Amino acid sequence: SIGDGPRFETLHEMVWASSLIAAGTVTEESEPFVTRHYGQPTYARDYQITVDTLVRGATDATTTLTLRSHGVDVDGCRQYIGDPTFTLGERVLLFLWDAGAPSADAPLLEPVMQSEGVWRIAHDRPLTSVLREIATVLRGQPPLHLVPPEDRLT
């Protein structure tokens, strides 16, 4: 069914599944609009994230990300799909993966496992320990089940 996919039980798996990991602040949100999600019409909203810490992927020139959330509140009604929603001004740590070719219907990057790839950061809390743990994971090897068969050493 829609939204079914791999499930990760550890930070190690989530880090290696992510093509981009970044922390930042939600700085803009669009008005709700109608689009298509997996071929079905849905309401969506785009959120702009200003990146302050790039942990993995892209380049140091990556200063903003735009994430699309399908299934949002419109006139007091919520269409629930499972995509994360954001609040202006909140800080987030994002674990993102390649969702396929960019198009109007499918943004290039989306959170790993929908809302599970979005970690909310308390404004007064540093990310030191979680960033240290992510760095440790990236110095190691990915879990074998996340390595494509053609890239595995035999």
Side-chain angles (χ1 to χ4, degrees), residues 57-78:
T59 68
D60 289 335
T62 303
T63 58
T64 60
L65 299 169
T66 301
L67 298 180
R68 177 161 295 160
S69 182
H70 296 91
V72 296
D73 291 324
V74 178
D75 296 330
C77 294
R78 171 123 173 106

Side-chain angles (χ1 to χ4, degrees), residues 129-149:
S129 61
V130 72
L131 294 179
R132 187 174 28 248
E133 182 64 26
I134 291 170
T136 300
V137 168
L138 289 172
R139 282 193 295 275
Q141 295 295 316
L144 189 58
H145 67 279
L146 294 177
V147 177

Side-chain angles (χ1 to χ4, degrees), residues 84-95:
T85 58
F86 301 92
T87 303
L88 284 175
E90 83 175 317
R91 292 188 64 225
V92 290
L93 176 61
L94 302 168
F95 296 84

Side-chain angles (χ1 to χ4, degrees), residues 26 28-29 31 46 49 57-58 61 76 81 98 110 113 118 148 152:
V26 180
E28 293 181 33
E29 72 176 4
E31 291 296 320
D46 285 343
I49 315 296
I81 291 180
D98 187 347
E110 62 184 30
M113 297 173 17
V118 177
R152 294 180 186 167

Side-chain angles (χ1 to χ4, degrees), residues 107-122:
L108 179 61
L109 295 170
E110 62 184 30
V112 170
M113 297 173 17
Q114 295 179 310
S115 293
E116 292 181 43
V118 177
W119 293 16
R120 315 295 173 167
I121 304 168

